[in-house]
Amino acid sequence: MKTRKKNWKAMLLASATAFAVLPLSSAVAQDYNPKMNTLEALGISIEGMKPSDPILSAEEFAHGKAIFFERCAGCHGVLRKGATGKPLTVDLTRSEDKGYDYLKDFITYGSPAGMPNWGTSGELTEDEVGIMARYVMVDPPQPPEFGMPEIKKSWKLIVAPEDRPTKKMNDLDIDNLFSVTLRDAGQIALIDGSTYKIVTVIDTGYAVHISRISASGRYLYVIGRDAKINMIDLWMEVPATVAELKVGSEARSVETSKYEGYEDKYAIAGAYWPPQYVIMDGDTLEPLKVESTRGMTYDTQEFHPEPRVASIVASHYKPEFVVNVKETGKVLMIDYSDIKNLNVTEIEAERYLHDGGFDSTGRYFLVAANARNKVAVIDTKEDKLVALVDTQGVKPHPGRGANLVHPTYGPVWVTSHLGDETLALIGTDPEGHPDQAWKVVQQLEGLGGGALFVKSHPKSAHLYVDAPLNPDAETSGSVGVFNIADLTKEEPEYTTLPIAQWADIKEGQPRVVQGEFNKAGNEIWFSVWNGKDKESAIVVVDDKTLTLKTVIKDPRLITPTGKFNVYNTRADVY
């Protein structure tokens, strides 16, 4: 490992059109007639093609549709109106300053601003890059609605509550289990945090986005980007799915009720398409209520057809879910004490809300409005917006963020950025450090643009940051580590850990993503995420010495990405 500091600002492209890596179900239908989409009819000229040629054949359109919904729609939107990524509407993609060659180059090479290098990484073939450049130059297909009849039809109660174990039937230390997303396999792996062995692999929806734990610690809820939820009973001899449900075509978030007296009573999931949230029975996933989030934007008061539900957390202070709606810029405080007479407090925050996490007290929820370069701070005790913090960086992307005690400024919460190398440290102690509260108290320079997650732990002396979307192979295969005690220096430097090198993977461009601590807080796990047909791994690092502890390899570890330690996830430790 080595210590270095690298300035990636010079590497950022002038244009920050960002395709993203967050998928959508490909089960979206629309008629496509190639004869009506010739280059001449669309007013497009592409070298090597005649004006009478269709821009895409029916087969190419279907292939492009699947790729877009699996790889791009999460940031650009189903209707391509943009959010984290720029809009990809046809008035822009067919314009003189964009066009086929521009789109093809950008898809191929990416940028540190958050655009993966789909072509040079080998994720897409040269032909597929060409298809995608042409696909975004035709009108997007309109996905179907998915209301309560469709939701109920998808519900499967595999093991009823009365037929489940009445006591824990295995000898697992459940609190130290890791739920690991096997992204492209449509599975999760449960890995024992002590033995580093896979306990079981469970089929799920496509590309699980998050795992959440019930208040009791017994049930694991995971949601795929295809909006499928699996409810997994960790008490079973071999943990397995006991209920399933789909809440739409694309989704990102699931959570359970945690307030005293309501533990495990309800679950909630938010969909990207259709834009809605669904409240379910916490024991069975039976859908009880579906609510649309379509409506007016908070600022311009204009109707938006696609306000997607991003992150959801459960309040520690009230029987409420905190639901963040991207395009309208609203935070919904949903009172689940009486779902028949649902009471929703609407907080105007900022567009476009994405991921976030609690401060160290669990009172304040900080959520990134990444396309506006801000973090909104929500007081979950008073149900109000406390502050909008300009992060002084490009596209904050914190995951759940990182809480630590700064040697000068006291408790802070940290976010990294997709679009540049900076990390923003935001003061979170309005009583002990009122002058620093809800302000960026320090800015650090990390590995480079394309960071997705920062991580620390109450027992750790370190702050970690990844950069998996950076097109540089060395950068995307490493993590940067700051010593918290060194944050008093004028320009703190980070230590680089060559995680992908430690994994000793011979083929592909493995990307290192999402550090997650074990329950004890003395080691941190990183996913080494490679192509579906190539070897991947998980690297475990000793937090005290910053040295390699072990490498977990198994043929079943296909495209591992997010990891969620049961205890840390349940207790909101990050």
Side-chain angles (χ1 to χ4, degrees):
M1 63 188 180
K2 57 184 177 180
T3 299
R4 67 176 182 178
K5 186 174 67 175
K6 185 179 287 187
N7 186 348
W8 281 92
K9 289 180 180 176
M11 292 188 62
L12 297 178
L13 299 182
S15 172
T17 303
F19 289 74
V21 74
L22 309 177
L24 175 72
S25 168
S26 59
V28 179
Q30 176 172 300
D31 291 337
Y32 175 75
N33 186 348
K35 294 179 181 178
M36 300 175 63
N37 291 277
T38 63
L39 298 188
E40 185 176 38
L42 298 176
I44 298 169
S45 175
I46 298 177
E47 186 177 356
M49 296 180 69
K50 299 188 298 291
S52 59
D53 288 341
I55 188 169
L56 291 164
S57 68
E59 292 76 15
E60 288 174 327
F61 180 84
H63 190 45
K65 181 176 65 175
I67 292 173
F68 186 86
F69 290 146
E70 290 178 355
R71 301 290 183 180
C72 315
C75 279
H76 296 286
V78 177
L79 305 179
R80 301 189 201 155
K81 293 183 179 294
T84 305
K86 297 291 185 181
L88 292 175
T89 49
V90 294
D91 59 315
L92 299 173
T93 58
R94 297 180 198 168
S95 65
E96 291 184 5
D97 63 333
K98 297 293 189 293
Y100 176 75
D101 290 334
Y102 171 90
L103 294 167
K104 185 178 178 181
D105 287 347
F106 218 87
I107 296 168
T108 299
Y109 298 107
S111 87
M115 171 67 180
N117 53 324
W118 294 110
T120 57
S121 69
E123 290 285 338
L124 298 180
T125 66
E126 185 176 354
D127 285 345
E128 287 175 327
V129 169
I131 287 172
M132 293 313 299
R134 288 177 281 137
Y135 177 80
V136 296
M137 298 174 78
V138 300
D139 292 322
Q142 178 74 31
E145 298 296 322
F146 204 89
M148 184 57 86
E150 291 81 11
I151 296 170
K152 283 188 174 180
K153 188 176 180 179
S154 76
W155 177 46
K156 295 179 182 178
L157 183 58
I158 298 167
V159 183
E162 61 270 22
D163 296 326
R164 297 172 195 165
T166 57
K167 62 180 181 180
K168 186 167 167 283
M169 302 298 291
N170 55 60
D171 59 0
L172 298 170
D173 179 1
I174 289 177
D175 270 355
N176 202 30
L177 276 179
F178 285 76
S179 174
V180 179
T181 296
L182 306 180
R183 186 186 184 279
D184 291 353
Q187 298 172 324
I188 63 157
L190 292 180
I191 302 182
D192 189 309
S194 299
T195 65
Y196 311 117
K197 301 295 184 183
I198 294 178
V199 174
T200 187
V201 172
I202 299 172
D203 290 334
T204 61
Y206 175 76
V208 163
H209 187 62
I210 58 170
S211 299
R212 289 292 181 261
I213 311 298
S214 65
S216 66
R218 173 173 181 172
Y219 294 112
L220 169 67
Y221 300 77
V222 301
I223 189 164
R225 287 173 170 86
D226 58 359
K228 180 182 176 181
I229 303 170
N230 286 64
M231 178 182 177
I232 298 163
D233 188 353
L234 300 178
W235 278 14
M236 298 174 75
E237 185 174 356
V238 179
T241 296
V242 294
E244 294 179 357
L245 186 74
K246 272 181 67 71
V247 296
S249 299
E250 182 193 10
R252 292 293 184 276
S253 50
V254 66
E255 181 59 287
T256 65
S257 54
K258 292 189 168 67
Y259 189 70
E260 184 177 358
Y262 294 90
E263 296 92 339
D264 300 4
K265 184 174 177 63
Y266 295 115
I268 185 173
Y272 268 25
W273 190 270
Q276 61 194 28
Y277 59 86
V278 180
I279 299 175
M280 301 153 280
D281 182 275
D283 280 335
T284 66
L285 292 187
E286 179 184 4
L288 304 174
K289 200 174 195 72
V290 57
E291 292 286 337
S292 174
T293 54
R294 289 184 172 101
M296 303 298 176
T297 58
Y298 90 94
D299 46 4
T300 59
Q301 300 289 292
E302 295 173 283
F303 179 77
H304 199 292
E306 193 188 356
R308 298 172 290 174
V309 178
S311 51
I312 301 177
V313 295
S315 171
H316 299 278
Y317 283 83
K318 297 179 182 180
E320 289 181 336
F321 293 120
V322 185
V323 174
N324 300 278
V325 185
K326 272 181 179 288
E327 281 73 15
T328 52
K330 297 174 181 178
V331 179
L332 308 180
M333 311 297 288
I334 299 173
D335 186 339
Y336 54 74
S337 63
D338 181 3
I339 67 168
K340 291 291 185 181
N341 302 285
L342 199 64
N343 183 31
V344 179
T345 300
E346 184 178 286
I347 300 173
E348 294 184 355
E350 182 57 283
R351 303 163 73 183
Y352 296 82
L353 301 174
H354 194 62
D355 281 349
F358 285 106
D359 77 310
S360 59
T361 70
R363 173 173 175 173
Y364 299 98
F365 180 70
L366 295 92
V367 57
N370 46 29
R372 296 288 176 88
N373 302 327
K374 289 181 171 59
V375 165
V377 183
I378 306 297
D379 183 344
T380 63
K381 183 177 181 180
E382 300 293 336
D383 283 4
K384 66 180 183 181
L385 177 72
V386 173
L388 280 175
V389 184
D390 187 332
T391 64
Q392 303 172 26
V394 180
K395 294 182 182 176
H397 192 288
R400 289 170 287 178
N403 288 301
L404 55 92
V405 178
H406 193 284
T408 302
Y409 304 113
V412 300
W413 180 88
V414 188
T415 182
S416 53
H417 292 84
L418 274 172
D420 65 27
E421 72 276 19
T422 62
L423 289 74
L425 281 62
I426 299 171
T428 60
D429 186 15
E431 293 185 5
H433 297 78
D435 293 340
Q436 285 78 42
W438 319 130
K439 299 175 184 176
V440 175
V441 298
Q442 189 171 15
Q443 190 179 54
L444 306 175
E445 291 188 2
L447 290 166
L452 286 180
F453 300 102
V454 287
K455 183 62 65 174
S456 192
H457 188 279
K459 296 180 180 178
S460 174
H462 300 113
L463 170 66
Y464 297 81
V465 60
D466 63 21
L469 300 188
N470 193 290
D472 177 72
E474 182 183 358
T475 302
S476 65
S478 302
V479 297
V481 190
F482 291 90
N483 190 319
I484 295 172
D486 290 342
L487 298 183
T488 55
K489 296 179 179 179
E490 185 175 348
E491 292 188 6
E493 294 190 345
Y494 58 84
T495 297
T496 301
L497 303 186
I499 303 295
Q501 180 181 323
W502 285 348
D504 192 28
I505 291 174
K506 306 300 184 184
E507 294 183 301
Q509 183 184 331
R511 304 172 187 271
V512 175
V513 65
Q514 208 246 356
E516 177 77 340
F517 277 88
N518 63 346
K519 178 186 176 183
N522 58 14
E523 63 186 34
I524 183 167
W525 295 28
F526 290 98
S527 295
V528 184
W529 165 27
N530 209 352
K532 184 177 181 180
D533 59 343
K534 296 179 175 60
E535 185 180 44
S536 292
I538 293 173
V539 169
V540 181
V541 176
D542 185 300
D543 176 63
K544 185 176 181 180
T545 63
L546 301 184
T547 56
L548 175 64
K549 194 163 187 179
T550 192
V551 177
I552 304 172
K553 288 187 177 180
D554 189 293
R556 294 171 291 177
L557 280 180
I558 299 170
T559 59
T561 52
K563 298 167 301 305
F564 300 86
N565 175 267
V566 166
Y567 177 79
N568 292 336
T569 302
R570 175 167 56 85
D572 289 313
V573 176
Y574 34 81

